[in-house]
Amino acid sequence: MSGKDVKAVAKLISPMARNQKKKRNKKKQPAAAAKQITAEPNLWDRQSPTVQHAFCLVLLAVISFTFFAPIHFKGMSLFAYDTVSFKAMSNEMTQYKAETGETALWSPNPFGGMPGYMISSPVEVKQLDDIPRFLRTLIWPSSHFLFMLWGTYLLAFVLVSDKWASMLAAVAYSFTTYVPIILVAGHNSKFITMAFAPWLILAFVFALRKPGVLSSFLFAIALAINLRAGHIQITYYVAFVMAIWWLVEVVGAYRSNNVANIAKSTGWLAFGSVLGILMVAQPFLSNFEYKAHTIRGASPGGEAGGGGLSWAYAMNWSQGIGELITLIISDAYGGASAYWGPKPPTGGPHYVGGIVMALAVFAGFTVRKRAVLALSIAAILLTLFALGRHFELLNRFMFNFFPLFSSFRVPETWLAIVSLVLALLAAFGFKQAFESLRTTSTGLPTLFKTMGAALAVMLVLFTMKDVFFAFEKEGEREMFMQRVASQNNVSVNNPQVATAVDRALVGIKADRGDRYAKDAIRTILMLLGASLVFFLFQKGSLAGFVAGFLIFGLVAYDLIDVGKRYFVEERLTTEQTADALVAEYGFDTYLINKKNELGGNGHFRVLSLEGNLVEVARPAYHYETLSGYHGAKLRYYQDYLENILFKDSVPHANGLDLLNTRYVIVPRGQLPDTRMVYQDPQTGMQVLERENALPRAYFVGNTEVITSAEETWSRLQSDAFNLATTAILPAELPVTTSPVDSASVATAVLEKHTPHEISWRVNTDTDRLLVVSEVYYPDGWKAYVDDVEVPIHRVNYLIRGVQIPAGEHQLTMAFDPSSYKLGYWVSLLSTLLAYGAVIGLVGYGYFRRKDQ
């Protein structure tokens, strides 16, 4: 065959060969070949990304204003118990600021007096968070809720590049039931810190992806804003998430031989962290100084740095293992009013919903990204922390050895950040779900396997609820028996008591079972709805935009509807100020008049036995009192309450005299050496006066040195010990004194008493120790005798003493903590550096691009 013939044959058979090759390739494909689902661009797809983002952000704003409509459009207000308590604790400081223009750093009314910046942190250096702080006066709580929604949306979009997935994450985190619960409870600083948490993680992600000067300064700004929100516990939890994420990135960089990049990111993050902390030196430098003297930083006996909270106190409100089911079945443990779980009474569950949980699990098993791995590890670890005492193997170790872990209480709070982690994982799962369903494939898609497994679990939990749950609180039966026996004046062992309690428990447990079943069915229906949407999308019956919107809508409806169980108009008020909600009873008016007759504060304190001394702040709104409401009391004061003030559950005379307590408010009865001077016709409360109460400042003629705290407490509670003549010192001090008798000159007249300064005109015929019934706090209070600084000694365990030389003098005590001044200047300079650098870098980049 000639060459021409060969070419001709080749030309003839080449199309045949190509056809055969196509057939062979086609045979190599699976029987059910992957087929891309395509559709004509719809109205949504034809919009620009800017318009789409704007629509999403506006829709989130509409959701916020709709949810909080009673506040924004009906003239109602959100003032809860904690908000009112805060107002009571800070009222004297607020009035001082209004009258003088000066910031009060000491609050004289609650707990005998305490640093005021631990009640109301005056943030004097302006930063970006002042924008929502200003908006708070106009549209609270949407002022910060919008930042919560938008921050989560932007963070999720940076991670998954899908708008509807980001919308889902925004509502999943912002409307977890814990948010309306803490808003109604008045835990405002916690809510605000949670609102800024997504922005902090967003800055962290930016620093990981784009390490450099700009990302470092942005991280510093985000960290400072989060810390300035005032709930360091939440910031601490967010830091755990970022630390886990960073570790995963380090391991990943090492395995991919990209250590240089993560090292660069780490360096800039470290710089940003330091700068961010410097930006909040005011008020945190003073707060850190204070912590060493509190129950969170000092041991009983007042030893600074001796430790944090006790294990039992810190682990209260540990999430029960079985209670984790409330993440997907809201009322599994009764919700709030009907709560029957292992914790003390609680405001409600941490509910995220079945769809969010299923998508989060789906992402954890199918998305191969470091971010997903980090978030999955964080979700598991933080959940174990939330179990507290119920997972002692881990948490006892962390409590004993990990920095600051023992400084925080209420372990269930970890779930507040678990909800953010699950929301982000759900965003990954959302995007992966639609990507996997855009093509058909052999077998059952993993998404439907996940949804099917979730439904199967829910069906088991629903049908076998009585197997898994007793619907009875531990010790509840015994409590009911005691109550029934007491009400009927019979023995608790009476058979009729047991019968009555058993009969009552049958009805109670049935009601709890019904609540559980209804919410289990609810979650099943939500999962079925989501599965149907995914199925219709896979079959091409729903466009991607419609399907994404429907999944987002199901999650939003589920969480918002459950959230409304806790954010109800009955929990709101028509009052427009917290002051209006602080009750003033007849006995308060009586004592206020007495205070005003004497010229204001500084002449007496009040012990009000209207409730638990560490939970009732209301009296502090009106006058100086021994009670209050704060999570970080001074250790010396806590010891006073526990070991000095009461003896055999009755206020002891020395304990009352120690803090110049002239009046005691009691519901009924009498105390030794008191007379009733007023009975409130409205409440029935009685005001008892101690006519021989010791004055606020007085001279003593003797001293005793007792180094042991326990011995000091015992001595102070001794009826033989006379506070009027003798003072106890904790160590040998350069103190001289002489006996005081009827012939002695020893007087102290109060001339001024404000949160900033106290002064007396004192006169003594010889050197003596002046005992001042003001709570001792070494970091800030300074004493001056005729403008010459003199030391303040701790006397009688809790209060102050000053050595006064013979003669007439002016004694002044001023609260002027150097840490506050230093913190202000450090914050100011570091803030100027951070914001100035960001503005300069952004401006330089803009003009450089413009020139190019």
Side-chain angles (χ1 to χ4, degrees), residues 81 84-85 88-89 581-585 587-588 608 610 615-623 625 627-629 665:
Y81 178 79
V84 176
S85 294
M89 294 282 285
L581 294 173
V582 181
E584 180 180 326
Y585 301 113
F587 60 84
D588 294 315
S608 177
E610 61 189 85
E615 295 179 358
V616 177
R618 189 200 62 79
Y621 185 90
H622 303 294
Y623 34 74
T625 177
S627 62
Y629 181 65
I665 302 170

Short mmCIF file of all heavy atoms in Angstrom, two decimals, residues 81 84-85 88-89 581-585 587-588 608 610 615-623 625 627-629 665:
data_model
loop_
_atom_site.label_atom_id
_atom_site.label_comp_id
_atom_site.label_asym_id
_atom_site.label_seq_id
_atom_site.Cartn_x
_atom_site.Cartn_y
_atom_site.Cartn_z
N TYR A 81 -33.67 42.38 86.69
CA TYR A 81 -33.18 42.43 88.06
C TYR A 81 -31.74 42.89 88.13
O TYR A 81 -31.37 43.74 88.94
CB TYR A 81 -33.32 41.05 88.71
CG TYR A 81 -32.80 41.01 90.13
CD1 TYR A 81 -33.56 41.51 91.18
CD2 TYR A 81 -31.53 40.48 90.42
CE1 TYR A 81 -33.09 41.48 92.48
CE2 TYR A 81 -31.05 40.47 91.71
CZ TYR A 81 -31.83 40.96 92.74
OH TYR A 81 -31.34 40.95 94.02
N VAL A 84 -31.43 46.62 87.42
CA VAL A 84 -31.87 47.43 88.56
C VAL A 84 -30.85 47.34 89.69
O VAL A 84 -30.55 48.34 90.36
CB VAL A 84 -33.27 46.96 89.02
CG1 VAL A 84 -33.70 47.72 90.27
CG2 VAL A 84 -34.29 47.16 87.90
N SER A 85 -30.29 46.16 89.89
CA SER A 85 -29.28 46.00 90.94
C SER A 85 -28.05 46.84 90.63
O SER A 85 -27.45 47.46 91.52
CB SER A 85 -28.89 44.53 91.07
OG SER A 85 -29.98 43.76 91.53
N ALA A 88 -28.76 50.36 91.50
CA ALA A 88 -28.71 50.57 92.95
C ALA A 88 -27.27 50.64 93.43
O ALA A 88 -26.92 51.49 94.26
CB ALA A 88 -29.46 49.44 93.65
N MET A 89 -26.43 49.76 92.92
CA MET A 89 -25.03 49.72 93.35
C MET A 89 -24.27 50.99 92.94
O MET A 89 -23.35 51.41 93.63
CB MET A 89 -24.35 48.50 92.75
CG MET A 89 -24.86 47.16 93.24
SD MET A 89 -24.24 46.71 94.87
CE MET A 89 -22.55 46.24 94.48
N LEU A 581 -37.58 51.76 88.80
CA LEU A 581 -37.87 50.39 89.24
C LEU A 581 -37.23 50.05 90.58
O LEU A 581 -37.45 48.97 91.11
CB LEU A 581 -37.38 49.40 88.17
CG LEU A 581 -38.14 49.47 86.84
CD1 LEU A 581 -37.47 48.58 85.81
CD2 LEU A 581 -39.59 49.06 87.02
N VAL A 582 -36.42 50.97 91.11
CA VAL A 582 -35.83 50.74 92.43
C VAL A 582 -36.84 51.18 93.48
O VAL A 582 -37.16 52.37 93.60
CB VAL A 582 -34.51 51.52 92.60
CG1 VAL A 582 -33.92 51.23 93.98
CG2 VAL A 582 -33.52 51.13 91.51
N ALA A 583 -37.34 50.22 94.20
CA ALA A 583 -38.41 50.52 95.16
C ALA A 583 -37.90 51.40 96.30
O ALA A 583 -36.77 51.26 96.76
CB ALA A 583 -38.98 49.22 95.71
N GLU A 584 -38.77 52.30 96.73
CA GLU A 584 -38.52 53.07 97.94
C GLU A 584 -39.71 52.87 98.87
O GLU A 584 -40.81 53.34 98.59
CB GLU A 584 -38.32 54.56 97.65
CG GLU A 584 -38.04 55.36 98.92
CD GLU A 584 -37.83 56.86 98.65
OE1 GLU A 584 -37.26 57.18 97.59
OE2 GLU A 584 -38.24 57.67 99.51
N TYR A 585 -39.48 52.15 99.97
CA TYR A 585 -40.53 51.86 100.92
C TYR A 585 -40.57 52.92 102.02
O TYR A 585 -39.68 53.78 102.11
CB TYR A 585 -40.33 50.46 101.50
CG TYR A 585 -40.31 49.36 100.47
CD1 TYR A 585 -39.15 48.64 100.21
CD2 TYR A 585 -41.45 49.05 99.73
CE1 TYR A 585 -39.12 47.63 99.26
CE2 TYR A 585 -41.44 48.05 98.78
CZ TYR A 585 -40.26 47.35 98.54
OH TYR A 585 -40.25 46.36 97.59
N PHE A 587 -39.88 52.60 105.13
CA PHE A 587 -38.71 52.56 106.01
C PHE A 587 -37.49 53.17 105.32
O PHE A 587 -36.60 53.71 105.98
CB PHE A 587 -38.42 51.13 106.49
CG PHE A 587 -38.13 50.13 105.42
CD1 PHE A 587 -36.86 50.00 104.89
CD2 PHE A 587 -39.13 49.28 104.95
CE1 PHE A 587 -36.58 49.05 103.91
CE2 PHE A 587 -38.87 48.33 103.98
CZ PHE A 587 -37.58 48.23 103.45
N ASP A 588 -37.44 53.10 103.97
CA ASP A 588 -36.36 53.77 103.25
C ASP A 588 -36.47 55.28 103.41
O ASP A 588 -35.47 55.97 103.69
CB ASP A 588 -36.41 53.42 101.76
CG ASP A 588 -36.12 51.96 101.49
OD1 ASP A 588 -35.17 51.43 102.08
OD2 ASP A 588 -36.84 51.36 100.68
N SER A 608 -29.92 45.67 106.34
CA SER A 608 -31.29 45.31 105.96
C SER A 608 -31.38 43.80 105.81
O SER A 608 -30.68 43.20 104.98
CB SER A 608 -31.67 45.98 104.63
OG SER A 608 -32.96 45.58 104.25
N GLU A 610 -33.91 42.15 104.69
CA GLU A 610 -35.04 41.88 103.80
C GLU A 610 -34.76 40.72 102.86
O GLU A 610 -35.66 40.24 102.17
CB GLU A 610 -35.39 43.12 102.98
CG GLU A 610 -34.26 43.60 102.08
CD GLU A 610 -34.55 44.94 101.46
OE1 GLU A 610 -34.28 45.98 102.10
OE2 GLU A 610 -35.05 44.97 100.32
N GLU A 615 -27.21 39.33 97.78
CA GLU A 615 -28.07 39.33 96.61
C GLU A 615 -29.03 40.53 96.55
O GLU A 615 -29.71 40.73 95.55
CB GLU A 615 -28.89 38.03 96.55
CG GLU A 615 -28.04 36.78 96.34
CD GLU A 615 -28.87 35.51 96.31
OE1 GLU A 615 -30.11 35.61 96.50
OE2 GLU A 615 -28.30 34.44 96.11
N VAL A 616 -29.09 41.30 97.62
CA VAL A 616 -30.02 42.42 97.67
C VAL A 616 -29.24 43.73 97.60
O VAL A 616 -28.57 44.13 98.55
CB VAL A 616 -30.86 42.38 98.96
CG1 VAL A 616 -31.77 43.60 99.04
CG2 VAL A 616 -31.68 41.10 99.02
N ALA A 617 -29.33 44.39 96.44
CA ALA A 617 -28.62 45.65 96.24
C ALA A 617 -29.53 46.86 96.45
O ALA A 617 -29.03 47.98 96.58
CB ALA A 617 -28.03 45.69 94.83
N ARG A 618 -30.83 46.66 96.48
CA ARG A 618 -31.78 47.77 96.52
C ARG A 618 -31.47 48.81 97.60
O ARG A 618 -31.49 50.03 97.31
CB ARG A 618 -33.20 47.21 96.73
CG ARG A 618 -34.32 48.22 96.58
CD ARG A 618 -35.60 47.72 97.26
NE ARG A 618 -35.40 47.55 98.69
CZ ARG A 618 -35.41 48.56 99.57
NH1 ARG A 618 -35.62 49.79 99.15
NH2 ARG A 618 -35.21 48.34 100.84
N PRO A 619 -31.17 48.42 98.86
CA PRO A 619 -30.90 49.45 99.88
C PRO A 619 -29.75 50.38 99.52
O PRO A 619 -29.76 51.55 99.92
CB PRO A 619 -30.58 48.61 101.13
CG PRO A 619 -31.26 47.30 100.89
CD PRO A 619 -31.13 47.07 99.42
N ALA A 620 -28.76 49.89 98.76
CA ALA A 620 -27.60 50.71 98.43
C ALA A 620 -27.97 51.90 97.56
O ALA A 620 -27.20 52.86 97.46
CB ALA A 620 -26.55 49.85 97.72
N TYR A 621 -29.11 51.86 96.93
CA TYR A 621 -29.57 53.01 96.14
C TYR A 621 -29.86 54.20 97.04
O TYR A 621 -29.68 55.36 96.63
CB TYR A 621 -30.85 52.62 95.38
CG TYR A 621 -31.36 53.68 94.42
CD1 TYR A 621 -30.93 53.71 93.10
CD2 TYR A 621 -32.27 54.64 94.84
CE1 TYR A 621 -31.40 54.68 92.23
CE2 TYR A 621 -32.75 55.61 93.97
CZ TYR A 621 -32.32 55.62 92.66
OH TYR A 621 -32.77 56.57 91.79
N HIS A 622 -30.26 53.92 98.29
CA HIS A 622 -30.77 54.97 99.17
C HIS A 622 -29.78 55.40 100.25
O HIS A 622 -29.76 56.57 100.64
CB HIS A 622 -32.05 54.50 99.85
CG HIS A 622 -33.13 54.11 98.89
ND1 HIS A 622 -33.75 54.99 98.05
CD2 HIS A 622 -33.69 52.88 98.62
CE1 HIS A 622 -34.66 54.35 97.31
NE2 HIS A 622 -34.63 53.08 97.65
N TYR A 623 -28.96 54.47 100.77
CA TYR A 623 -28.10 54.81 101.89
C TYR A 623 -26.97 53.80 101.98
O TYR A 623 -26.94 52.78 101.27
CB TYR A 623 -28.89 54.84 103.21
CG TYR A 623 -30.01 53.81 103.28
CD1 TYR A 623 -29.75 52.45 103.45
CD2 TYR A 623 -31.34 54.21 103.16
CE1 TYR A 623 -30.78 51.52 103.50
CE2 TYR A 623 -32.38 53.29 103.20
CZ TYR A 623 -32.08 51.94 103.37
OH TYR A 623 -33.10 51.02 103.40
N THR A 625 -25.03 50.76 103.24
CA THR A 625 -25.58 49.51 103.72
C THR A 625 -24.52 48.41 103.75
O THR A 625 -23.45 48.56 103.14
CB THR A 625 -26.76 49.08 102.82
OG1 THR A 625 -27.26 47.81 103.25
CG2 THR A 625 -26.32 48.97 101.38
N SER A 627 -25.23 45.36 102.63
CA SER A 627 -25.58 44.39 101.60
C SER A 627 -25.23 44.92 100.22
O SER A 627 -24.79 46.06 100.05
CB SER A 627 -27.08 44.07 101.67
OG SER A 627 -27.85 45.24 101.43
N GLY A 628 -25.43 44.09 99.20
CA GLY A 628 -25.13 44.47 97.82
C GLY A 628 -25.24 43.26 96.91
O GLY A 628 -25.71 42.19 97.33
N TYR A 629 -24.81 43.46 95.68
CA TYR A 629 -24.90 42.38 94.69
C TYR A 629 -23.74 42.52 93.73
O TYR A 629 -23.71 43.42 92.90
CB TYR A 629 -26.24 42.47 93.95
CG TYR A 629 -26.46 41.38 92.90
CD1 TYR A 629 -26.58 40.05 93.28
CD2 TYR A 629 -26.57 41.69 91.55
CE1 TYR A 629 -26.79 39.06 92.33
CE2 TYR A 629 -26.79 40.72 90.60
CZ TYR A 629 -26.90 39.39 90.99
OH TYR A 629 -27.11 38.41 90.05
N ILE A 665 -32.90 46.70 109.74
CA ILE A 665 -34.25 46.52 109.22
C ILE A 665 -34.60 45.04 109.32
O ILE A 665 -33.88 44.19 108.77
CB ILE A 665 -34.35 46.99 107.76
CG1 ILE A 665 -33.96 48.47 107.65
CG2 ILE A 665 -35.76 46.78 107.22
CD1 ILE A 665 -33.80 48.94 106.22
#
